[in-house]
Amino acid sequence: MNTGFECALVGAASFDSAHFAKERFDAVVAVDGGYASLADSGFSADFALGDFDSLGYVPCDVPVERHPSMKDDSDTALALDWARLRGYSSVALYGVLGGRLDHTHASIAALVGAARLGTCAVAVGEGCVVCALSSAGCRVLELPAAESGTFSVFSFSDKACGVCETGAKYEVEDVELASDVTLGLSNEFVGRPVRIEVSSGDLIVYLPLLPLSSLKFRE
C-alpha cells in the first residue's frame, strides 16, 4: 500500500510550514490552535475540530466539530478518529510534536492507536518525521536510499517481535525489542533502500525530515 497521505491534521505545537507547503492533501483539518498556525503561514483549513481552548474562539469560516473541554481523549486522538471514520487511510499530523513533553507523548500514543486500526499515520515536526508501525495494521515501512542520516526504531508495546531492519548500516533480522531498551537508537543510512518491519507488536520510527511521498507503508 503506497500512501499519498490523503489528510493533514494540524495542531497548535511547532508547525513546519516549509515541509507542509511541499505536500499535497485531499483535506486539511485544523485541530484547535492549529487553525491559527495555518492562517499565520498563509494556509487555509477545510475543517476545524477541537474544544478550541487553545485557539480561544471557534472559527466561523469553515465547518466545525466542537468537543467539550472535559473529555477522555486529546484533540489529536479525536481528529485521528474523525479522519478514519471518514475513510482516510493515510494521515499526516503537523503541529503535534515539541512543546509540552506530555502532549508529544500523547500524540505519539495516538499515532500508534491509529496504526493498530489500519491507518498509515505519521507526525512531522521538530526536524523529524515520526512513523507508527503495528502488526495489526501497517507493519512494513520502506524508505528510499540515502547516503547519510540516522533513524531510530523503538518498541511502543511492551515487546515487539520479529523486528527486521534491512539496507541500513546495522541490519537486524527477527529480533525482539522491549519498550525499556535503547537498542534501536541511531541506525544509519548507507546509500541503500531501507526496509523496517514488525511481526508482532508496535514500533515507533524516528526519521529525518523526508518528503512524505518517499515513505511506503505496507501491510
Side-chain angles (χ1 to χ4, degrees):
M1 150 178 38
N2 294 345
T3 62
F5 287 92
E6 305 149 321
C7 181
L9 308 177
V10 181
S14 176
F15 178 46
D16 191 328
S17 59
H19 189 281
F20 180 87
K22 296 176 182 177
E23 304 291 334
R24 295 293 179 268
F25 304 101
D26 296 335
V28 175
V29 180
V31 183
D32 201 325
Y35 179 86
S37 298
L38 286 164
D40 290 346
S41 298
F43 302 110
S44 59
D46 300 305
F47 195 86
L49 178 151
D51 56 23
F52 302 106
D53 59 347
S54 297
L55 186 62
Y57 62 92
V58 179
C60 59
D61 59 343
V62 294
V64 167
E65 180 176 295
R66 189 173 187 181
H67 294 278
S69 57
M70 295 181 66
K71 55 188 184 297
D72 294 330
D73 281 316
S74 68
D75 285 337
T76 298
L78 292 171
L80 279 165
D81 283 343
W82 180 95
R84 178 178 56 83
L85 292 172
R86 281 154 185 79
Y88 294 113
S89 60
S90 55
V91 182
L93 280 68
Y94 288 80
V96 300
L97 304 176
R100 282 179 53 177
L101 288 177
D102 53 347
H103 281 193
T104 295
H105 184 86
S107 296
I108 292 173
L111 282 185
V112 173
R116 288 175 177 171
L117 294 173
T119 301
C120 299
V122 304
V124 180
E126 298 296 298
C128 68
V129 175
V130 182
C131 304
L133 297 180
S134 176
S135 58
C138 301
R139 67 177 197 85
V140 178
L141 175 62
E142 295 176 343
L143 305 169
E147 295 301 321
S148 61
T150 63
F151 67 92
S152 297
V153 179
F154 300 110
S155 177
F156 199 84
S157 49
D158 287 343
K159 291 183 179 180
C161 301
V163 177
C164 301
E165 299 176 28
T166 57
K169 181 175 181 178
Y170 307 104
E171 294 194 307
V172 296
E173 183 74 24
D174 196 24
V175 302
E176 179 181 284
L177 293 179
S179 59
D180 60 352
V181 301
T182 60
L183 177 62
L185 180 67
S186 294
N187 208 336
E188 298 181 24
F189 292 97
V190 289
R192 298 191 299 259
V194 169
R195 178 183 171 98
I196 302 165
E197 63 182 289
V198 61
S199 294
S200 176
D202 309 307
L203 296 178
I204 286 293
V205 182
Y206 292 86
L207 301 170
L209 199 58
L210 298 171
L212 299 185
S213 60
S214 70
L215 311 179
K216 306 300 180 187
F217 287 87
R218 304 190 187 282
E219 295 180 347

